[in-house]
Amino acid sequence: MKVVGLLSGGKDSVYNLVHCVVQGHEPVAVASLGPPEGKDELDSYMYQTVGHSGLRVLAQALDLPFFVRTINGTAVNQRGEYGSRKGKAKEVDTTAERGDETEDLYELLKSVKDAMPEVQGVSVGAILSNYQRVRVEHVCARLGLTPLAYLWERSQPELLAEMIAAGMESVLVKVAGAGLQVKHLGQTLAQMQPTLHKLNAMYDLHVCGEGGEYETFTVDCPLFKRRVLLDKTTTVVSDSSPFSTVAHLHLDTVSLSPDPKPDVPEHESFVELRARVQSTVDVGVPPLLDDEAREWEEAARMAHDRCCEADDALESSASASTSREPAAETRYDSVPRARRTEDGWLYLSEIVAPPTGRNAEIEQEVQACFQELEVLLAANEASLLDLAHLTVYLSPSAETMALFPRINAVYATYFGTSPPTRACVAVPGPQEAGAQRVKLEGVARVSQEAAAPDSDSERKALHIQSMSYWAPANIGPYSQSINTGGKTHIAGQIPLIPASLTLPPGPVETPQSSVAESAFSFHAALALQHLTRIVACSSPSESARPESILAWLAPCPSEAIWRRRVAACRAAWTAYTGDESAPFLAVEAAALPRGAAVEWQATWTSPASAVDGDSDDEEESAARKTLVTKEPMKAIRIFGYRLGEASLPSAAAEARADAACVKIFYRPQVISSGQVATLFDGGNGGDDARNGSHAYPALSFVPATRLATSGSAHKQFDVVVVVQHA
């Protein structure tokens, strides 16, 4: 796509443009915001302005048009979120951001888009600043632009080394960190590298200056046609303290070198530019899997190989286990259910459109689902703003997945900034007229002690919409994670390549192909890497632990392939957790988003949040911390049953004991929805189930083709019950 680069002049904004070129995106303009005339530098939460006087020359070095606008606003909204959380379906109040400096960025990019309608993307040099990223992404979303942030969440020592190796020559033009002095102004990154690492070891200084310790101005890079010359500068000292010196260089006179750079044509097409950069510049594009994820992939591959060895002996018995007569269908009409716990959680299940809304267009059915959802939330003194997570089940799979873009368009209207996380799968279902095509279930945080809905003091959202190397951008109406009430809910993760949002080459579904399953192991490890990176960015506690994990698998062409993929997913998960007893569930769906082979769905919990106060007794405090650290894995219990081998009614009673939410996965080939509902519900839900009785769990019924839990990959179940304890 054609992109405009947000240009501060610093190393990050320029180096991200280099990555845009490598990824096939063509810079066609650069744009910047500067302080009002007469001001050397503006104390802005959003923008680096110290080198603004040299930006026009830097744009000439890039041979790109330059758009500039004055910063008129201030940091009116200083919260972690920007914009209203209410969706288009609600009336949105935009007055909270009126006069904010972010709106200057909107006007700047709008002027670029008006002048150059072909622009589709925005290059952003963000590394760690969520404050900046959230606001840039909000502006881009309003203008229909895609943010590109290839430096996001990169290791700073690695990134600094890569910039130097790639020929980035940026000089320090401001110092404001412990150990940095006036003498460091004007020095290049290469000259400063040893000092920056030394100060990092001494004072925890960010080697890339992400804590505001220093700022740079770029005088040369692979994209420049000519070098930039700092002809005359003036040193301005704001604070002369020897331990916290604050000083900057004012760029009095800046010009281009009269001599062209060797081997850099003055005029070249984008194709030629990209080929030159790729062939001559050492740009640090990280591998898809990091070292840890490669270990998960290897564990998955080895588990697949072990499973292959046992397949021949088990194939006949496995085939027999799946060749039963289909269950006589006893239809079950879903009843919306809610359970509110004393600690402030509201579990919601079986939310479908009423029968009168199922024969309409799919948009009307989705709207009817949300009407039911809002009624259920209101009955429990909650709203859409309190939702932490939603799961969307689509059925029947083939037709409904094709309708998903239309479903998503309606879904998006109900949420604004930082929407709840979401997982979406297609499951087996009846296909006759009048059958439900969309079902919702979810969880909301409605603690009376929680902050106001538009405050982010308790609820923390991670909604990264920028394309990067880190993890897939969430360009849909859902967040990567919501952290609230000591839990981190994570959106379903499929193995997309982050830089392109495309799937890697998929496994070839041939029963005897080990190469095919090696590809699946890669897919499972990549999606798991996405999930764990999101956790690392989301959880405030290093002791956060997985509370539940579910591996959704796409339809498998044979029982043997199903077993191998279950074994691969379980091995990857065990390699990550280091705990072979960690709860695990694999479910074969009818289809997954974008035709993916696997989707991970998980919730994390922060045990530290469960520690009540401080204790003077160190042994007592340590014991309590150990207890709550181990407890989260016990909050979820998983029971697997085969018909004829276990008593389902007694299982139902066990599941309902002290349960907040009970999710029942069942194989419609062997037991019908009506039979499952009768066994587990017994018709006793009634108004208590609908209105959120403290004594009755939220029950959810999910059809699946195949089911497996912890233990042997060859052990298949007809019903799996997942119990979330209150």
Side-chain angles (χ1 to χ4, degrees), residues 85 344-346 377 380-389 415 420 443-447 450-453 459 482 484:
R85 290 186 50 217
W345 291 101
L346 175 63
L377 286 165
N380 289 275
E381 302 176 314
S383 73
L384 294 176
L385 297 180
D386 298 306
L387 287 169
H389 177 82
F415 302 104
V443 59
R445 179 65 174 165
V446 291
S447 170
R459 182 185 190 273
I482 297 293
T484 183

Side-chain angles (χ1 to χ4, degrees), residues 203-214:
Y203 305 116
D204 203 26
L205 174 140
H206 292 76
V207 295
C208 280
E210 282 301 290
E213 296 93 338
Y214 69 91

Side-chain angles (χ1 to χ4, degrees), residues 79 81 85 384-389 415 417-421 445 450-453 455-462 479 481-485:
R79 296 190 296 112
E81 295 177 354
R85 290 186 50 217
L384 294 176
L385 297 180
D386 298 306
L387 287 169
H389 177 82
F415 302 104
T417 297
S418 69
T421 60
R445 179 65 174 165
S455 169
D456 61 356
S457 61
E458 194 221 20
R459 182 185 190 273
K460 302 292 184 183
L462 187 72
S479 298
S481 71
I482 297 293
N483 191 305
T484 183

Side-chain angles (χ1 to χ4, degrees), residues 433-647:
Q436 67 193 41
R437 292 172 289 179
V438 181
K439 181 167 74 172
L440 304 177
E441 68 180 30
V443 59
R445 179 65 174 165
V446 291
S447 170
Q448 295 300 318
E449 290 76 28
D454 274 325
S455 169
D456 61 356
S457 61
E458 194 221 20
R459 182 185 190 273
K460 302 292 184 183
L462 187 72
H463 187 199
I464 297 177
Q465 301 167 73
S466 299
M467 291 175 64
S468 68
Y469 301 125
W470 167 73
N474 271 6
I475 56 177
Y478 57 97
S479 298
Q480 274 101 345
S481 71
I482 297 293
N483 191 305
T484 183
K487 293 182 185 292
T488 302
H489 296 268
I490 303 165
Q493 295 300 309
I494 61 176
L496 293 174
I497 299 172
S500 62
L501 297 184
T502 59
L503 290 169
V508 180
E509 294 178 340
T510 303
Q512 303 304 320
S513 172
S514 61
V515 176
E517 295 315 298
S518 294
F520 177 81
S521 298
F522 178 86
H523 282 231
L526 180 58
L528 182 57
Q529 177 179 270
H530 298 336
L531 187 147
T532 57
R533 285 182 173 179
I534 290 168
V535 172
C537 273
S538 307
S539 177
S541 170
E542 292 183 359
S543 60
R545 289 168 54 85
E547 183 179 76
S548 65
I549 189 70
L550 192 164
W552 289 100
L553 300 181
C556 299
S558 72
E559 191 77 17
I561 286 184
W562 158 256
R563 288 196 300 269
R564 295 169 194 176
R565 293 185 179 182
V566 170
C569 285
R570 183 186 292 112
W573 178 244
T574 301
Y576 166 70
T577 63
D579 182 1
E580 293 187 358
S581 66
F584 171 85
L585 174 61
V587 179
E588 185 176 9
L592 297 180
R594 301 199 186 196
V598 60
E599 176 177 353
W600 293 97
Q601 183 179 346
T603 302
W604 251 248
T605 191
S606 300
S609 65
V611 180
D612 298 325
D614 297 322
S615 172
D616 294 331
D617 188 332
E618 291 185 6
E619 290 187 3
E620 178 185 349
S621 178
R624 186 186 300 118
K625 289 181 179 179
T626 300
L627 174 65
V628 298
T629 299
K630 292 183 177 179
E631 185 64 25
M633 296 299 260
K634 299 178 183 178
I636 297 286
R637 299 178 68 191
I638 301 176
F639 306 88
Y641 301 98
R642 288 175 60 86
L643 296 186
E645 295 181 2
S647 172

Side-chain angles (χ1 to χ4, degrees), residues 126-128 130 149-156 464 468 470 533 536-537:
I127 300 176
L128 284 180
N130 275 299
Y150 293 112
L151 312 188
W152 180 252
E153 281 293 317
R154 294 291 312 281
S155 160
Q156 291 189 53
I464 297 177
S468 68
W470 167 73
R533 285 182 173 179
C537 273

